[in-house]
Amino acid sequence: MSDRVAEPNESVCPYCGVGCGIKYDADRESAVGWKGPVNQKGELCPKGAAAWDVVDHEERLTRPLVRVNGTLVEATWEEAFDRIEREFDRIVADHGPDSVFFFTSSNCTNEENYLLQKTARKLGTNNIDNCARLCHSSTVAAMGDRFGAGAMTNSLEDLMEADVYLVTGANPAEQHPVIFRSYLLPALKSGTKLIHVDPRENPTTKAADVHLPVKPGFDIPLLNAMAAVIVEEGLVDEEFVAERTTGFDELRAYLAELDVDEEADRAGVDPEDLREAARMYGEAGRAAIFTGMGMSQHHCGTDNVQTLINLPLLTGNVGKAGTGVNPLRGQNNVQGAGDVGGLPNVLPGYQQVTDDDARAAVAEVWGFEPPATPGLTEVEATHRFGDDVRAAYVFGENPAVTEPNANHVEAQFEKLDFCVVHDVFPTETAEFADVVLPGSVWAEKSGTVTNTDRQVIRMRQNVEPPGDARTDLDVLREFAQRVAGLDTPETPEGVFDELRAVSPLYVGMSYDGIGTGSQRWPFPEGATEGTAILHTEQFETGSKTAPLRVVEHVDPADPVEDDELVLTTGRVLQHFNSGALTRRSGVLMRMRGEDVLQIHPDDAADRDIEDGDRVRIENDRGTVTVAAEVTPAVRRGTVFTTFHYADPLVNKLTGDALDPTAKIPEYKHSAVRVLVDPANDD
């Protein structure tokens, strides 16, 4: 511990969307869990236990940096903000407000993200997005379309009442370990069955009763075939379908024409296993779906989730305990960043920017009306750097690592006239910055975050920022005033009160009401508690019914040649997102210091690859080198690695074909060649 004095105040883990309570412990000089609203026994995963490692890390940014003659040098806050103000004023005057783009942060508080999106809109643009675009935007789009809300339909507590879990495109045992161990595993031990849809066998699969190792990019045939079995074998909840859905006759006619065995074969799974899974789900009294980025990160991600939604609607598994569709969110505040308006098409509370009444209502609080034209998404904006987009403010994100087709992204960042990076470490994105502003980590800030099942939880400051650094809220308040002439509340609570005034989802909440517990949205004004289970009597669309939809398969964007394999990516227990934080933890790096490429023994033998060999993964977008892990855990024809490491930077290989609705890239299916690296012979 440095000479900064820390206090053990209840805060929230900065990593995944579970929302575990953590705080500083002076005896251990590290983070420990407290009995929060989610980790009710104070339990933490390895990342949470190592969360203090970044607080006093020697690489922390503590003073602003400005680029002089091509080199970033230390500067005062006044010098840094003078340059930011001058450049933003010039660019907006010359090219208009839509020439600026803002990256909000799924890793920062509701209050901070609210201020940044409000600043963008005061400046006159809806060009604001966050990394939800890269993980669950297709899930949100599909669920919003059908249900009227894109978040978890249920609470973690009531999901323990399910008879069957269908986990598709997610690996909660590693990716959301406290949810898995504290909520799902006790239910499984009490008799709940688990169906796991994933191209790999992983720690979640070990608890499964049925594993469907789907071929990446072929979820729609698998899900359509499951729906066909449900209809064919009389497992439809006829009463629910009649009262709460539309479009059943059309879907039934489509499914009747499907050959289940052929669709299973297209999806790369055994037809009998698929039928068993469909029966298990369809016969359950209560069946709950958990979905993740394996479903959403495709150029047909919205269609994937649209197909998935047919299953609970056919079987009546929505609107009651132990059911529904439950996206497991990635970063600790990716839910909240969207809730507060950190998206190009919605205002706080998911009110459309095109809605005249919504803009007028917000204007009554803000004193100005936000623009009515939706802005660019994150990847769309990056593609337009140097042309339509001339300046960017990157807050707490690392798009040079996390966006697809990384070589192209780097070239695009070079084209910007001006770039501000606001972060806690000198990230890969900061290499392209003209000004770098030091940020504050979880222990240095106060505010709220919203976890994966819609619980708003308070963070409390444990220690002051180091050196000359300021809290993120203070930095964003000065930025708002300098660039947009926007006066903002001075405290996190003041900002939250303003957020409540413009968001129907949060309107009934308060800091006192949250306390050391949580309040869950939607929380209407005057209510005593939020709504745990959505869609009980009617859907959030306002309608009693939701439509059943016919969805056709869409081929992956990358065609696969005979000598190629399909690369799919994901997360592991020890690291998180771009690794900017976790790779700076000595504990976590000792647990998993380098990446590997999982490859099936047959695919390895065909290429003379042995376990531990360095291999080269390449396609037309780039080349990376990594050690091979030869294992039957990954299906033949597919290879797997993570996106946590700057070297190898796997997103050099991923494509940037976008889903037409959600604009999410296709991370989960990239055609690659894998061969032994010649360096093995040295």
Side-chain angles (χ1 to χ4, degrees), residues 298-337:
H298 293 270
H299 81 129
C300 59
T302 303
D303 282 347
N304 283 349
V305 182
Q306 293 280 18
T307 317
L308 181 67
I309 289 170
N310 284 336
L311 298 183
L313 291 179
L314 285 170
T315 57
N317 279 301
V318 66
K320 59 184 181 182
T323 67
V325 180
N326 301 282
L328 294 169
R329 304 308 299 266
Q331 297 207 50
N332 75 329
N333 200 32
V334 68
Q335 182 65 57

Side-chain angles (χ1 to χ4, degrees), residues 138-148 220 223-225 227-228 231 241 244-255 258 302-314 541 543 545-553 661:
S138 51
T139 313
V140 173
M143 292 180 66
D145 174 41
R146 302 278 280 284
F147 293 163
I220 292 172
L223 295 167
N224 274 334
V231 173
V241 166
R244 299 293 306 275
T245 75
T246 60
F248 178 55
D249 289 343
E250 183 182 359
L251 179 61
R252 177 171 53 188
Y254 172 76
L255 296 175
L258 288 183
T302 303
D303 282 347
N304 283 349
V305 182
Q306 293 280 18
T307 317
L308 181 67
I309 289 170
N310 284 336
L311 298 183
L313 291 179
L314 285 170
T541 56
S543 173
T545 62
L548 290 157
R549 292 267 173 82
V550 172
V551 186
E552 299 274 5
H553 170 67
T661 301

